[in-house]
Amino acid sequence: MKWWLRRPVELSFLVLIVPIAVVLLLLLTGNSAQEEGIRVAVVDEDQSIYSEVVIDRFSTQSIVSVEKMNREEAIQLVQTNKIEAAIIFSNGFMDQLIDKKRAEIVELYYPPSSLTHVLISELVASEVLRLSSNVQAAHYIDDKYEKLDLLSREDKKMIEQNRVPTNLWEDAWNQSDSYWEPEPLMSITYIDGGLHSRIGETETSDESESQAWIYFEIQFLMGCLSALILFLFIFMQQWIVDDYQLGVRKRLKGTAVSPLLYIIGHSIPTMVFVLLQGILALVLIFGMNQFALPLTWEIVFLFVLYVMATFSIGTYIAILVKSPLQLQTVGVLFVLFTSLAGGSFVDLSEWSDSVKWLSYGTPQGWFLNGVRDILPYVGEGSVGSAVLLTGCALCVFTLFFTALSVERWRKQS
């Protein structure tokens, strides 16, 4: 409490940092995707009917803003980080699809900072797959009719004159394409949920795209919030360093007050403050889409456990160092390393399994994987195992670093 009273400027900064940071992140993710759309450059070097169809269909997606240009301009915009991705339809795109070849017919370029290139590539791939499926079906029907000698006289004449495609081929192509409207006859939705995944019935195209973007936004914002919470606790436990420099620990050694009770008693204002700031941030994050994904008690419960875990870690670091400068230096480096490894900013576990296991060595990794497990099943009541596993892991972090803190305090007294 003394730390709070002695530093009104720092207190004002801490009161505002979480709401301001969350609002800025909401503006960053919301404005670019919902008002203008994700900026994507498209280059059509093939200039064919097929490339035009894919571009037109891709352009109608509600979450993208498509700009047509040449290759040089697109790559320059990628290099200057002005667009999320550049899609290039190479020469021979249509011919390779008709010849049932799909290797290297579409090029995708994106800057290292792009957060949505995976979503963009999936949207383009779905349209290319649609054309490829139509071609496969048309070839199959045409070949079967030719082998069974069921082709019309006109189609036989077209084959003899090497005029393709035949009327039958075009009819089969159109028939196959009609099965994709208003939505495919059979489709699945796969949602990556950390330790668990979900496969279910597909919603309509617009609903699916909107839901995918909401998942992405919430996961990204929750990752940033996890890093911010840990930073707050490390910074706000500076009173422990001040007490050490004033010799308070040695004077407490002769009293009946235990180190754990002393730390908890003086940290109650910090704990309440961070919890309230965190709950406010959660309401802002989930409320940005009118609670399209509800803020459930499971997510709040895991967040409270995460706050306890980061409180114990922040306390241990404050006891470990001997000056405010050391606390700030070690604290910032610790937050950056664990946040990067835990996937607070970018989910590195998608790149390799070794990084995924590294994330389980951080509280951010467990918390965010728990959130990813819960989000796909919001409202279905089937997240008990995910909540239990993540909750137990966060409790282990809390108990482990609490024990280390008490032991370190006693050694320094």
Side-chain angles (χ1 to χ4, degrees), residues 46-78:
D46 194 46
Q47 296 292 320
S48 63
I49 298 174
Y50 277 24
S51 60
E52 184 178 345
V53 167
V54 174
I55 293 172
D56 288 344
R57 289 173 176 171
F58 176 71
S59 301
T60 61
Q61 307 288 350
S62 59
I63 63 173
V64 298
S65 175
V66 175
E67 303 173 36
K68 295 183 181 180
M69 60 190 68
N70 60 43
R71 177 185 286 265
E72 290 73 22
E73 291 174 333
I75 293 178
Q76 184 178 6
L77 289 177
V78 169

Side-chain angles (χ1 to χ4, degrees), residues 117-409:
H117 64 274
V118 175
L119 180 61
I120 294 168
S121 66
E122 289 300 320
L123 292 175
V124 176
S126 66
E127 298 299 339
V128 175
L129 178 62
R130 176 174 176 173
L131 291 181
S132 178
S133 300
N134 296 344
V135 169
Q136 295 272 6
H139 277 309
Y140 177 81
I141 295 297
D142 206 41
D143 291 343
K144 281 293 182 181
Y145 269 62
E146 187 176 4
K147 288 179 181 179
L148 297 173
D149 196 23
L150 296 175
L151 289 174
S152 65
R153 186 175 301 174
E154 184 179 355
D155 282 347
K156 288 180 180 179
K157 189 175 181 180
M158 291 179 69
I159 292 176
E160 291 172 358
Q161 296 176 353
N162 199 27
R163 288 191 292 126
V164 290
T166 63
N167 294 328
L168 175 65
W169 193 97
E170 291 183 344
D171 290 342
W173 193 100
N174 291 328
Q175 183 68 22
S176 175
D177 193 64
S178 69
Y179 292 139
W180 292 78
E181 299 294 346
E183 57 184 280
L185 289 177
M186 185 192 76
S187 56
I188 61 174
T189 297
Y190 175 82
I191 300 174
D192 186 1
L195 297 175
H196 305 281
S197 298
R198 175 187 182 184
I199 296 179
E201 295 180 1
T202 299
E203 301 166 328
T204 62
S205 178
D206 287 342
E207 289 175 345
S208 180
E209 292 156 19
S210 176
Q211 193 81 341
W213 180 253
I214 292 173
Y215 279 125
F216 163 77
E217 276 189 315
I218 290 180
Q219 290 182 30
F220 173 71
L221 293 170
M222 292 290 280
C224 294
L225 178 62
S226 68
L228 186 58
I229 292 297
L230 179 56
F231 172 79
L232 280 177
F233 269 128
I234 292 176
F235 184 80
M236 295 179 70
Q237 292 300 74
Q238 185 177 322
W239 68 268
I240 296 178
V241 181
D242 295 341
D243 278 4
Y244 173 77
Q245 292 181 329
L246 294 172
V248 174
R249 295 185 199 176
K250 291 183 179 179
R251 293 200 297 271
L252 282 174
K253 190 175 182 181
T255 68
V257 179
S258 71
L260 182 59
L261 290 177
Y262 180 80
I263 293 171
I264 293 176
H266 282 71
S267 298
I268 287 177
T270 301
M271 179 70 76
V272 173
F273 173 80
V274 175
L275 268 176
L276 292 177
Q277 292 279 75
I279 296 299
L280 173 61
L282 288 179
V283 172
L284 290 174
I285 290 172
F286 282 84
M288 65 181 176
N289 291 298
Q290 290 77 46
F291 293 95
L293 287 178
L295 178 59
T296 62
W297 71 266
E298 293 95 345
I299 293 176
V300 175
F301 175 68
L302 290 185
F303 179 75
V304 171
L305 293 181
Y306 175 75
V307 167
M308 293 173 61
T310 50
F311 166 74
S312 64
I313 293 173
T315 301
Y316 176 67
I317 293 176
I319 294 174
L320 196 63
V321 300
K322 297 182 179 180
S323 69
L325 179 61
Q326 288 183 5
L327 177 65
Q328 294 163 12
T329 304
V330 174
V332 170
L333 292 176
F334 184 83
V335 171
L336 285 176
F337 174 76
T338 56
S339 297
L340 288 172
S344 294
F345 309 120
V346 180
D347 187 9
L348 301 178
S349 63
E350 295 179 355
W351 298 1
S352 74
D353 290 336
S354 58
V355 177
K356 183 175 183 178
W357 285 109
L358 179 63
S359 70
Y360 292 134
T362 67
Q364 294 99 313
W366 278 102
F367 172 63
L368 295 175
N369 277 307
V371 171
R372 294 187 190 106
D373 287 343
I374 293 171
L375 287 179
Y377 301 93
V378 165
E380 297 183 8
S382 56
V383 294
S385 59
V387 174
L388 180 61
L389 181 60
T390 305
C392 288
L394 293 174
C395 287
V396 168
F397 276 104
T398 303
L399 295 174
F400 178 71
F401 281 98
T402 299
L404 288 180
S405 299
V406 172
E407 182 63 25
R408 181 70 180 178
W409 180 287

